[in-house]
Amino acid sequence: MKKTTSILSILLTAAASLSLQAAAPVPQNLAGGLDKLVESNLALKNAQASHKKTQTFASTDGKAYATQEAADFASTAITNGDGRIMVRAHLSGMVPFENVRTAVSQKISSLAITAVDKNYKGGVIEGYISVDDVPALAQAAGIRSVILELKPDLNRAEGVSARSNPDVVPGQTLTLLGTTFDQGVTQHRVDQINQFYNAGAASNYQGTGMSIGFISDSFGKTTVVTPATDVANNDLPGNAGNPAGNTTPVAVLQDAASGTDEGRAMVQIGYKMAPKAKLAFATANNGEVGFANNIRALAGLVGFTYPNQTFKADVVCDDVGYGDEPFFEDGIIGNAIDDVNAAGVSYFSSAGNDIGTYDYDSDYRNVPYTGGTTAADCTALVGTNINLASVPTNLYQGGFHNFNPNGLDVAQSVNVIATASLPQTNFQWDDPYNQTVTFNPAAIYTAGGSSDGTTVTPPSFTTPSLTAGQNYVITVTANVGSSFDAIVTIKDPSNNTIVNAQDTGTDETINLFPPTTGAYTIIVTIFGGTTGAFTVNVYNGTNPQLSTDFNLLVFNQAGGYLPASSLVTNNYATNVPFEFGKTARNGTEATVQYVIARASVPTSPTPATHIRYIIRGNGAAGIGPAEYFTYNTPNTKGHAMAKGCNGTAAYSVFRPSQPEYFTSPGPATVYFDKLGNRLTPPDVRLQPGVAAADAGNTSFFSGDSAADLDNTLNFSGTSAAAPHAAAIAALVIQAHGGAGSVTPAQMTNLLHRSAFPHDLDPNSATGSARTTTGGKVTININSDLGLNPSVGAKDPNSMSVSYVGPDSLASLVFNPAGTAATGGNVTGGNNGVDLTNTYFSNIYPGEVFEPLATAFTLGTSVGGLTAADVVAAFSNQAPLPSTAGQWWTMTLTFPNANFTGGKALRFTVGRGPQHNSSVQGTVVPGTGQTGGATSTSFVMADLFGGGVLIPDNTVITPGMAFSGTTTLGATFGGTIQNRIGNGYSVTDGFGFINAEVAVSAPIQ
Amino acid sequence: MKKYISAVIVSLVAFAAPISLHAQIYNEQFGDAGQTLGTSQNSGITQSGTIFGQISGINDADVYRITITNTSTISFSTLNALTAANGGAGGMDTQLFLFTSTGLPVFANDDATGFTVQSLLPAGNSLLATLSAGTYYLAISLSGNDPINLNSQLVFATGATTSIRGPASSINPTTWNTFDGAASFAQNGQYQIDIISVPEPSTVALYAIGAVVLLGVALRRRTTAAKN
């Protein structure tokens, strides 16, 4: 039932007030910012119709919008060039899929369906549509919700560090394929199993007979270096004179309308790792359903292939994520991976480039709302300056999340960027996505009514007694021939409103979990003067539903509410446990406060219990929680955590041999099966599963690293890691007998067993030493790179010393010898550049202390130690390239003799690698050790401990040395260490793949 | 005055003493007790007793099967002279771990207090007290030699050495498989684990009330004496 423009204009005032009380022209079942675009569209049309000037906000799509929020969401929308936007309509399951598809195709002229998925929940229709027609689509029979399809996120890292390693192994000549050398070849030891590169290799696996599919943005849309040039230069296969003998061009199943050709860079990696493999590309840019179907197309699944294409991949990989992919269950794309797995295809996806300190993850700890608006009269707000006076009560009356597990604090300070590159916050919880409505068709209550346009007769309906905690489905539907559009309110037996003026479409469907047993009142009112007969039915529901409507309320540092920055959609209407948007505006806030609240007390017997938000930074600085953060907070998500996916973390080809600082940590926790049934216990998936190289050379993508000797461009991010891992999988299949010889499950198991040993406690290092009188000194360092301004070296609790035993500590000296060899950072440096050494040698670059970068600062200590109890001094000036004030040695003395047993001192100080070995000018043999620059930013804990040199596989256990004394003269000494071994680590899964081991590993 | 103090001391001694009258002693047998559930040794100890064994080095951990009849009252400790005698000053730096009959982690401790590197799993901790009576596995290792699952994940949460640590979250599988063999200090020698059944909280309360009453009487008498 379409509404007229005049009706929309009349009701615009109500929409502008953001009230959810009255019927709105903006359907409530719009998600992902689509509601803001529709709202803006209506406002601008209304202003135009009334000839009123109105303020507008420009977006990156070149158009003007009525609000900044709308402009921001417009910048995230996928458009088709004629102004239409891509949306995803999820079906309720109450109308057959084909009936819905036919109806919306015929009735909504601007809708161009691009892809469908009949199997995901109630079915999905994806396509381009004019924003004018979004309400009609949202209100069409059988449509449950409509979601703005967000531009996909490419996992190319934007923040690239300068680290160094050689292009090739000194002393070993490798054949160059094309114009650039991908250092992943040596890092993964592919040069040891490939006789094209290395005639002396003991085996020869080049991907013969294998087919690898790649999915990213585009393949042939940039012109600086075209695909044809790549072929001509043998940076891609297809040239008749291809030196690897691969004359088969890349099959492009579907390219994007535009893009950076990141996909072509991925294909280059696959080609350099497996030069004889057949390669194909398909875009992920055309929405989640389009992406999912291209996965199936590359695998050659019947019904999804493209005309005139016969490609059937043995391995497929991608580097794309969609913003609203679920954190806690499998989604549309994950299902496609399961499909191709079942067809025998191994799958790899970039784990993501979101640092653990970008996000927050916790069980939900409810603090009830008992009235009031400030800490003075609201007990939930005690300890905060939050003022709820201007916040609609129905956004938080269900209670607040307590961020403090050991006290009370419902507000969390969060760093955001007060610049143009504002990140989006993606907030989700453990409720099922896109559940269909299913119920026992035998209604337990049926009644009729009618509207004359101004009055409903009867105005309300009383149900039979409903049982608390059970699921009921209440429908209010227009009878055949009727144009009535209902607004429905439901009150409990005590006359409390529990569903407030729902108006998602012409007919209303409400999933009700009665909070108390008794008769409920259904109040029906009229939208827009519509008339006609209607029917009210109450059924017993049979499907688990979304239980909780969370809102992310945003306040400034003074406690003032920021409505335009708050994420407050009605999740019962959108049917997705998902809030998304920018929580700060350019130039206005650098730090805000997040309050996570429930719109109402859930009536479901199984309300949501777990929450997580991710501020997607993609390696950028300046974002993340300023408090209540943890290092390694999990955030790998979406299809990268699919059961059959090999989520792929990244290691730079440059040193140190450690996971990239930005690679997304796991594990993934899946709370629901594919039907939305809660899993007990939840399925903890050890994703990312593997790690592979990034930052190697490509012919055109995307920026040169100062860490290598050439001027060719390096491709960083987990985007570059996934194709390295996929290509190794192809080599493994070849080595085991060709297509079909290794199932996806066997492949995952094999790769997990074929990794280099690695650090099992990332972002953490520990040193322990016994004193000569039986005490124990323990040093703990917990720190990542510190791009979140509150973590890393800026975290005053990032380093700690604790003591157990008699007497008291008198001194503690870090790196007392004052040498590089005793300074940790054992896999760093630029020794490969030093041509007087072999590649597999190691020169310990060591860590230096940099109090000028971050002064020695105490954190929250245990046992009452204060700043008066410790003196920090620095000595042993480090040599070039260090500058004055960068010291090998830090000495802590404890003058008051009160650092007794059971106490702990927490602190931070500037620190970093003595040289990071970015290449400085002309390389002169013998200068390797002093090349590069002393880093003031690489403050990660792991650099203090031991490590594993890649690709030579040398394990170095001890890191920085330390020693000290107690007051009565006891002494102690030890080294700081990482937990090195084989097994799962949250940042790099089972570790960096050793291809030489993988091709000979037995199948298990 | 003195006799009241003596009464208090008697009361407190009674509070701290094990109530088992039949101390069960188990000596590590047949060579080394294993470090997995499958290679553990059945100590035969029910609720209270003493285990004697030997740590041979950084890779060694010993696991013993025990029976717990009251999960609220049992404690485990290496607070004794034997480890000190074998581990040099301060003793061997032990850790204690308790697992369920299926290998699920219950709780763990490295250092009993801020002043000793011996270990204590105290009675009354909710991590055990909320579980049922039955078969459990008690493990001992040197500090740093930690129990892990099949994927090398630590099965106990990390924390301060003096903390009582519960199961790690978000690991798969959740069951313990073996030890990682990475002890912090190369020590070896004999150990003694005391398994003590302390009085029920209600009994403790009675002892405490008795002590307070006696103290009160003593103080009152002293006050009275002072007035006199």
Side-chain angles (χ1 to χ4, degrees), chain A residues 667 684 686 768 770 774 776 804-805 901-902 979 982-984 990, chain B residues 89 91 93 110-111 114 116 143 148 151-153 170 172 180 187:
Chain A
V684 175
L686 300 184
S768 293
R770 294 295 299 273
K776 180 167 65 174
V804 168
R979 190 170 162 254
N982 294 106
Y984 175 78
F990 285 82
Chain B
D93 188 355
D110 183 347
D111 301 328
T116 176
S143 180
I148 55 176
N151 293 311
S152 300
Q153 295 176 285
S170 300
N172 187 2
D180 65 8
Q187 298 178 317

PDB file of all heavy atoms in Angstrom, chain A residues 667 684 686 768 770 774 776 804-805 901-902 979 982-984 990, chain B residues 89 91 93 110-111 114 116 143 148 151-153 170 172 180 187:
ATOM      1  N   PRO A 667      39.704 -15.560  19.013  1.00  0.00           N
ATOM      2  CA  PRO A 667      38.950 -16.469  18.152  1.00  0.00           C
ATOM      3  C   PRO A 667      37.564 -15.922  17.857  1.00  0.00           C
ATOM      4  O   PRO A 667      37.214 -14.824  18.314  1.00  0.00           O
ATOM      5  CB  PRO A 667      38.867 -17.728  19.018  1.00  0.00           C
ATOM      6  CG  PRO A 667      38.811 -17.191  20.422  1.00  0.00           C
ATOM      7  CD  PRO A 667      39.709 -15.989  20.423  1.00  0.00           C
ATOM      8  N   VAL A 684      33.329 -22.129  19.676  1.00  0.00           N
ATOM      9  CA  VAL A 684      34.537 -21.290  19.623  1.00  0.00           C
ATOM     10  C   VAL A 684      35.387 -21.772  18.454  1.00  0.00           C
ATOM     11  O   VAL A 684      35.883 -22.894  18.466  1.00  0.00           O
ATOM     12  CB  VAL A 684      35.322 -21.368  20.933  1.00  0.00           C
ATOM     13  CG1 VAL A 684      36.630 -20.587  20.820  1.00  0.00           C
ATOM     14  CG2 VAL A 684      34.485 -20.835  22.093  1.00  0.00           C
ATOM     15  N   LEU A 686      38.645 -21.466  16.059  1.00  0.00           N
ATOM     16  CA  LEU A 686      40.015 -20.981  16.169  1.00  0.00           C
ATOM     17  C   LEU A 686      40.413 -20.272  14.876  1.00  0.00           C
ATOM     18  O   LEU A 686      41.196 -20.778  14.070  1.00  0.00           O
ATOM     19  CB  LEU A 686      40.954 -22.126  16.515  1.00  0.00           C
ATOM     20  CG  LEU A 686      40.627 -22.821  17.847  1.00  0.00           C
ATOM     21  CD1 LEU A 686      41.661 -23.879  18.169  1.00  0.00           C
ATOM     22  CD2 LEU A 686      40.527 -21.809  18.998  1.00  0.00           C
ATOM     23  N   SER A 768      60.868 -14.122  34.416  1.00  0.00           N
ATOM     24  CA  SER A 768      60.849 -14.520  35.819  1.00  0.00           C
ATOM     25  C   SER A 768      62.265 -14.819  36.274  1.00  0.00           C
ATOM     26  O   SER A 768      63.067 -15.370  35.510  1.00  0.00           O
ATOM     27  CB  SER A 768      59.981 -15.768  36.027  1.00  0.00           C
ATOM     28  OG  SER A 768      58.632 -15.483  35.787  1.00  0.00           O
ATOM     29  N   ARG A 770      64.529 -16.056  40.015  1.00  0.00           N
ATOM     30  CA  ARG A 770      64.555 -16.353  41.442  1.00  0.00           C
ATOM     31  C   ARG A 770      65.706 -15.582  42.091  1.00  0.00           C
ATOM     32  O   ARG A 770      66.804 -15.467  41.521  1.00  0.00           O
ATOM     33  CB  ARG A 770      64.772 -17.850  41.673  1.00  0.00           C
ATOM     34  CG  ARG A 770      63.638 -18.741  41.195  1.00  0.00           C
ATOM     35  CD  ARG A 770      62.342 -18.506  41.961  1.00  0.00           C
ATOM     36  NE  ARG A 770      62.463 -18.769  43.381  1.00  0.00           N
ATOM     37  CZ  ARG A 770      62.298 -19.968  43.940  1.00  0.00           C
ATOM     38  NH1 ARG A 770      62.026 -21.011  43.176  1.00  0.00           N
ATOM     39  NH2 ARG A 770      62.423 -20.141  45.240  1.00  0.00           N
ATOM     40  N   GLY A 774      65.509 -16.970  47.638  1.00  0.00           N
ATOM     41  CA  GLY A 774      64.272 -17.721  47.445  1.00  0.00           C
ATOM     42  C   GLY A 774      63.083 -16.915  46.986  1.00  0.00           C
ATOM     43  O   GLY A 774      61.993 -17.461  46.862  1.00  0.00           O
ATOM     44  N   LYS A 776      61.002 -14.357  44.180  1.00  0.00           N
ATOM     45  CA  LYS A 776      60.759 -14.433  42.737  1.00  0.00           C
ATOM     46  C   LYS A 776      60.345 -13.062  42.211  1.00  0.00           C
ATOM     47  O   LYS A 776      59.433 -12.432  42.761  1.00  0.00           O
ATOM     48  CB  LYS A 776      59.669 -15.458  42.418  1.00  0.00           C
ATOM     49  CG  LYS A 776      59.377 -15.572  40.918  1.00  0.00           C
ATOM     50  CD  LYS A 776      58.533 -16.791  40.585  1.00  0.00           C
ATOM     51  CE  LYS A 776      57.162 -16.747  41.153  1.00  0.00           C
ATOM     52  NZ  LYS A 776      56.332 -17.885  40.689  1.00  0.00           N
ATOM     53  N   VAL A 804      57.572 -11.708  44.895  1.00  0.00           N
ATOM     54  CA  VAL A 804      57.105 -12.651  45.904  1.00  0.00           C
ATOM     55  C   VAL A 804      58.342 -13.130  46.657  1.00  0.00           C
ATOM     56  O   VAL A 804      59.313 -13.555  46.022  1.00  0.00           O
ATOM     57  CB  VAL A 804      56.383 -13.844  45.259  1.00  0.00           C
ATOM     58  CG1 VAL A 804      56.152 -14.950  46.283  1.00  0.00           C
ATOM     59  CG2 VAL A 804      55.060 -13.411  44.649  1.00  0.00           C
ATOM     60  N   GLY A 805      58.305 -13.054  47.979  1.00  0.00           N
ATOM     61  CA  GLY A 805      59.438 -13.576  48.731  1.00  0.00           C
ATOM     62  C   GLY A 805      59.796 -12.712  49.909  1.00  0.00           C
ATOM     63  O   GLY A 805      59.103 -11.732  50.228  1.00  0.00           O
ATOM     64  N   GLY A 901      57.214  -8.424  49.414  1.00  0.00           N
ATOM     65  CA  GLY A 901      56.475  -9.506  48.784  1.00  0.00           C
ATOM     66  C   GLY A 901      54.993  -9.201  48.629  1.00  0.00           C
ATOM     67  O   GLY A 901      54.378  -8.623  49.522  1.00  0.00           O
ATOM     68  N   GLY A 902      54.455  -9.587  47.487  1.00  0.00           N
ATOM     69  CA  GLY A 902      53.039  -9.372  47.219  1.00  0.00           C
ATOM     70  C   GLY A 902      52.727  -8.065  46.538  1.00  0.00           C
ATOM     71  O   GLY A 902      51.578  -7.820  46.164  1.00  0.00           O
ATOM     72  N   ARG A 979      56.125 -16.915  24.700  1.00  0.00           N
ATOM     73  CA  ARG A 979      55.737 -18.325  24.801  1.00  0.00           C
ATOM     74  C   ARG A 979      55.783 -18.918  23.393  1.00  0.00           C
ATOM     75  O   ARG A 979      54.806 -18.883  22.644  1.00  0.00           O
ATOM     76  CB  ARG A 979      54.335 -18.409  25.406  1.00  0.00           C
ATOM     77  CG  ARG A 979      53.912 -19.792  25.776  1.00  0.00           C
ATOM     78  CD  ARG A 979      52.619 -19.811  26.606  1.00  0.00           C
ATOM     79  NE  ARG A 979      52.060 -21.145  26.548  1.00  0.00           N
ATOM     80  CZ  ARG A 979      50.986 -21.487  25.837  1.00  0.00           C
ATOM     81  NH1 ARG A 979      50.308 -20.565  25.185  1.00  0.00           N
ATOM     82  NH2 ARG A 979      50.563 -22.730  25.798  1.00  0.00           N
ATOM     83  N   ASN A 982      54.292 -24.503  18.958  1.00  0.00           N
ATOM     84  CA  ASN A 982      53.328 -24.806  17.903  1.00  0.00           C
ATOM     85  C   ASN A 982      51.946 -24.860  18.541  1.00  0.00           C
ATOM     86  O   ASN A 982      51.787 -25.376  19.646  1.00  0.00           O
ATOM     87  CB  ASN A 982      53.655 -26.143  17.243  1.00  0.00           C
ATOM     88  CG  ASN A 982      54.971 -26.085  16.490  1.00  0.00           C
ATOM     89  OD1 ASN A 982      55.977 -26.619  16.930  1.00  0.00           O
ATOM     90  ND2 ASN A 982      54.973 -25.411  15.354  1.00  0.00           N
ATOM     91  N   GLY A 983      50.970 -24.374  17.832  1.00  0.00           N
ATOM     92  CA  GLY A 983      49.617 -24.347  18.356  1.00  0.00           C
ATOM     93  C   GLY A 983      48.919 -23.082  17.932  1.00  0.00           C
ATOM     94  O   GLY A 983      49.408 -22.347  17.057  1.00  0.00           O
ATOM     95  N   TYR A 984      47.800 -22.824  18.571  1.00  0.00           N
ATOM     96  CA  TYR A 984      46.968 -21.689  18.161  1.00  0.00           C
ATOM     97  C   TYR A 984      47.305 -20.435  18.949  1.00  0.00           C
ATOM     98  O   TYR A 984      47.436 -20.467  20.169  1.00  0.00           O
ATOM     99  CB  TYR A 984      45.488 -22.015  18.369  1.00  0.00           C
ATOM    100  CG  TYR A 984      44.579 -20.852  18.084  1.00  0.00           C
ATOM    101  CD1 TYR A 984      44.267 -20.496  16.777  1.00  0.00           C
ATOM    102  CD2 TYR A 984      44.053 -20.079  19.115  1.00  0.00           C
ATOM    103  CE1 TYR A 984      43.439 -19.412  16.505  1.00  0.00           C
ATOM    104  CE2 TYR A 984      43.222 -18.995  18.851  1.00  0.00           C
ATOM    105  CZ  TYR A 984      42.926 -18.664  17.542  1.00  0.00           C
ATOM    106  OH  TYR A 984      42.121 -17.594  17.274  1.00  0.00           O
ATOM    107  N   PHE A 990      47.409 -20.763  13.648  1.00  0.00           N
ATOM    108  CA  PHE A 990      48.403 -21.804  13.894  1.00  0.00           C
ATOM    109  C   PHE A 990      49.777 -21.417  13.336  1.00  0.00           C
ATOM    110  O   PHE A 990      50.701 -22.214  13.378  1.00  0.00           O
ATOM    111  CB  PHE A 990      47.920 -23.135  13.332  1.00  0.00           C
ATOM    112  CG  PHE A 990      46.838 -23.746  14.188  1.00  0.00           C
ATOM    113  CD1 PHE A 990      45.517 -23.329  14.063  1.00  0.00           C
ATOM    114  CD2 PHE A 990      47.134 -24.684  15.152  1.00  0.00           C
ATOM    115  CE1 PHE A 990      44.516 -23.862  14.869  1.00  0.00           C
ATOM    116  CE2 PHE A 990      46.145 -25.227  15.969  1.00  0.00           C
ATOM    117  CZ  PHE A 990      44.823 -24.811  15.827  1.00  0.00           C
TER     118      PHE A 990
ATOM    119  N   ALA B  89      66.926 -22.218  48.208  1.00  0.00           N
ATOM    120  CA  ALA B  89      66.290 -21.175  48.991  1.00  0.00           C
ATOM    121  C   ALA B  89      64.888 -20.897  48.465  1.00  0.00           C
ATOM    122  O   ALA B  89      64.690 -20.692  47.284  1.00  0.00           O
ATOM    123  CB  ALA B  89      67.125 -19.905  48.939  1.00  0.00           C
ATOM    124  N   GLY B  91      62.564 -22.943  48.118  1.00  0.00           N
ATOM    125  CA  GLY B  91      61.943 -24.178  47.664  1.00  0.00           C
ATOM    126  C   GLY B  91      61.676 -24.198  46.184  1.00  0.00           C
ATOM    127  O   GLY B  91      61.840 -23.211  45.475  1.00  0.00           O
ATOM    128  N   ASP B  93      59.611 -23.865  43.024  1.00  0.00           N
ATOM    129  CA  ASP B  93      58.508 -22.951  42.730  1.00  0.00           C
ATOM    130  C   ASP B  93      57.385 -23.756  42.083  1.00  0.00           C
ATOM    131  O   ASP B  93      57.329 -23.914  40.871  1.00  0.00           O
ATOM    132  CB  ASP B  93      58.988 -21.838  41.795  1.00  0.00           C
ATOM    133  CG  ASP B  93      57.938 -20.757  41.623  1.00  0.00           C
ATOM    134  OD1 ASP B  93      56.811 -20.919  42.144  1.00  0.00           O
ATOM    135  OD2 ASP B  93      58.250 -19.753  40.966  1.00  0.00           O
ATOM    136  N   ASP B 110      49.854 -20.445  41.602  1.00  0.00           N
ATOM    137  CA  ASP B 110      51.308 -20.543  41.534  1.00  0.00           C
ATOM    138  C   ASP B 110      51.905 -20.276  42.917  1.00  0.00           C
ATOM    139  O   ASP B 110      52.496 -21.160  43.529  1.00  0.00           O
ATOM    140  CB  ASP B 110      51.811 -19.530  40.498  1.00  0.00           C
ATOM    141  CG  ASP B 110      53.309 -19.598  40.280  1.00  0.00           C
ATOM    142  OD1 ASP B 110      54.012 -20.244  41.075  1.00  0.00           O
ATOM    143  OD2 ASP B 110      53.800 -18.975  39.316  1.00  0.00           O
ATOM    144  N   ASP B 111      51.696 -19.055  43.408  1.00  0.00           N
ATOM    145  CA  ASP B 111      52.299 -18.672  44.683  1.00  0.00           C
ATOM    146  C   ASP B 111      51.209 -18.447  45.724  1.00  0.00           C
ATOM    147  O   ASP B 111      50.278 -17.665  45.510  1.00  0.00           O
ATOM    148  CB  ASP B 111      53.113 -17.388  44.523  1.00  0.00           C
ATOM    149  CG  ASP B 111      54.217 -17.554  43.480  1.00  0.00           C
ATOM    150  OD1 ASP B 111      54.730 -18.674  43.345  1.00  0.00           O
ATOM    151  OD2 ASP B 111      54.525 -16.560  42.788  1.00  0.00           O
ATOM    152  N   GLY B 114      52.208 -13.518  48.994  1.00  0.00           N
ATOM    153  CA  GLY B 114      53.261 -12.655  48.494  1.00  0.00           C
ATOM    154  C   GLY B 114      54.629 -12.975  49.042  1.00  0.00           C
ATOM    155  O   GLY B 114      55.609 -12.339  48.654  1.00  0.00           O
ATOM    156  N   THR B 116      55.809 -16.427  49.578  1.00  0.00           N
ATOM    157  CA  THR B 116      56.284 -17.782  49.330  1.00  0.00           C
ATOM    158  C   THR B 116      55.965 -18.202  47.908  1.00  0.00           C
ATOM    159  O   THR B 116      54.932 -17.811  47.353  1.00  0.00           O
ATOM    160  CB  THR B 116      55.650 -18.790  50.306  1.00  0.00           C
ATOM    161  OG1 THR B 116      56.088 -20.107  49.949  1.00  0.00           O
ATOM    162  CG2 THR B 116      54.134 -18.743  50.244  1.00  0.00           C
ATOM    163  N   SER B 143      56.607 -23.703  38.290  1.00  0.00           N
ATOM    164  CA  SER B 143      56.038 -22.467  37.766  1.00  0.00           C
ATOM    165  C   SER B 143      56.440 -22.271  36.310  1.00  0.00           C
ATOM    166  O   SER B 143      57.612 -22.390  35.946  1.00  0.00           O
ATOM    167  CB  SER B 143      56.535 -21.280  38.597  1.00  0.00           C
ATOM    168  OG  SER B 143      56.003 -20.083  38.102  1.00  0.00           O
ATOM    169  N   ILE B 148      47.871 -27.224  29.018  1.00  0.00           N
ATOM    170  CA  ILE B 148      47.382 -26.713  27.735  1.00  0.00           C
ATOM    171  C   ILE B 148      46.404 -27.709  27.120  1.00  0.00           C
ATOM    172  O   ILE B 148      46.382 -28.884  27.489  1.00  0.00           O
ATOM    173  CB  ILE B 148      48.549 -26.461  26.756  1.00  0.00           C
ATOM    174  CG1 ILE B 148      49.392 -27.734  26.578  1.00  0.00           C
ATOM    175  CG2 ILE B 148      49.405 -25.301  27.234  1.00  0.00           C
ATOM    176  CD1 ILE B 148      50.507 -27.609  25.564  1.00  0.00           C
ATOM    177  N   ASN B 151      45.394 -27.676  21.287  1.00  0.00           N
ATOM    178  CA  ASN B 151      45.903 -26.641  20.389  1.00  0.00           C
ATOM    179  C   ASN B 151      46.888 -25.709  21.080  1.00  0.00           C
ATOM    180  O   ASN B 151      47.103 -24.581  20.622  1.00  0.00           O
ATOM    181  CB  ASN B 151      44.733 -25.856  19.798  1.00  0.00           C
ATOM    182  CG  ASN B 151      43.898 -26.723  18.886  1.00  0.00           C
ATOM    183  OD1 ASN B 151      44.435 -27.408  18.014  1.00  0.00           O
ATOM    184  ND2 ASN B 151      42.585 -26.722  19.082  1.00  0.00           N
ATOM    185  N   SER B 152      47.483 -26.182  22.173  1.00  0.00           N
ATOM    186  CA  SER B 152      48.504 -25.439  22.914  1.00  0.00           C
ATOM    187  C   SER B 152      47.969 -24.184  23.584  1.00  0.00           C
ATOM    188  O   SER B 152      48.736 -23.297  23.970  1.00  0.00           O
ATOM    189  CB  SER B 152      49.690 -25.053  22.000  1.00  0.00           C
ATOM    190  OG  SER B 152      50.299 -26.188  21.469  1.00  0.00           O
ATOM    191  N   GLN B 153      46.657 -24.064  23.726  1.00  0.00           N
ATOM    192  CA  GLN B 153      46.101 -22.921  24.456  1.00  0.00           C
ATOM    193  C   GLN B 153      46.138 -23.209  25.951  1.00  0.00           C
ATOM    194  O   GLN B 153      45.846 -24.326  26.393  1.00  0.00           O
ATOM    195  CB  GLN B 153      44.654 -22.671  24.022  1.00  0.00           C
ATOM    196  CG  GLN B 153      44.506 -22.259  22.570  1.00  0.00           C
ATOM    197  CD  GLN B 153      43.049 -22.126  22.190  1.00  0.00           C
ATOM    198  OE1 GLN B 153      42.350 -23.113  22.001  1.00  0.00           O
ATOM    199  NE2 GLN B 153      42.581 -20.891  22.095  1.00  0.00           N
ATOM    200  N   SER B 170      37.050 -18.730  25.973  1.00  0.00           N
ATOM    201  CA  SER B 170      37.164 -18.738  24.506  1.00  0.00           C
ATOM    202  C   SER B 170      38.334 -19.583  24.011  1.00  0.00           C
ATOM    203  O   SER B 170      39.131 -19.146  23.179  1.00  0.00           O
ATOM    204  CB  SER B 170      37.301 -17.300  23.972  1.00  0.00           C
ATOM    205  OG  SER B 170      36.188 -16.541  24.324  1.00  0.00           O
ATOM    206  N   ASN B 172      39.360 -23.671  22.626  1.00  0.00           N
ATOM    207  CA  ASN B 172      38.741 -24.851  22.029  1.00  0.00           C
ATOM    208  C   ASN B 172      39.826 -25.878  21.732  1.00  0.00           C
ATOM    209  O   ASN B 172      40.744 -25.573  20.974  1.00  0.00           O
ATOM    210  CB  ASN B 172      38.009 -24.451  20.743  1.00  0.00           C
ATOM    211  CG  ASN B 172      37.189 -25.595  20.160  1.00  0.00           C
ATOM    212  OD1 ASN B 172      37.122 -26.681  20.729  1.00  0.00           O
ATOM    213  ND2 ASN B 172      36.578 -25.342  19.026  1.00  0.00           N
ATOM    214  N   ASP B 180      52.837 -27.712  28.877  1.00  0.00           N
ATOM    215  CA  ASP B 180      53.655 -27.161  27.788  1.00  0.00           C
ATOM    216  C   ASP B 180      55.152 -27.306  28.029  1.00  0.00           C
ATOM    217  O   ASP B 180      55.963 -26.988  27.151  1.00  0.00           O
ATOM    218  CB  ASP B 180      53.286 -25.703  27.500  1.00  0.00           C
ATOM    219  CG  ASP B 180      53.587 -24.751  28.646  1.00  0.00           C
ATOM    220  OD1 ASP B 180      54.233 -25.172  29.625  1.00  0.00           O
ATOM    221  OD2 ASP B 180      53.169 -23.579  28.555  1.00  0.00           O
ATOM    222  N   GLN B 187      64.565 -26.582  38.145  1.00  0.00           N
ATOM    223  CA  GLN B 187      64.652 -27.134  39.493  1.00  0.00           C
ATOM    224  C   GLN B 187      64.217 -28.590  39.456  1.00  0.00           C
ATOM    225  O   GLN B 187      63.561 -29.042  38.514  1.00  0.00           O
ATOM    226  CB  GLN B 187      63.750 -26.354  40.455  1.00  0.00           C
ATOM    227  CG  GLN B 187      64.143 -24.893  40.590  1.00  0.00           C
ATOM    228  CD  GLN B 187      63.199 -24.150  41.514  1.00  0.00           C
ATOM    229  OE1 GLN B 187      61.992 -24.313  41.454  1.00  0.00           O
ATOM    230  NE2 GLN B 187      63.771 -23.328  42.372  1.00  0.00           N
TER     231      GLN B 187
END
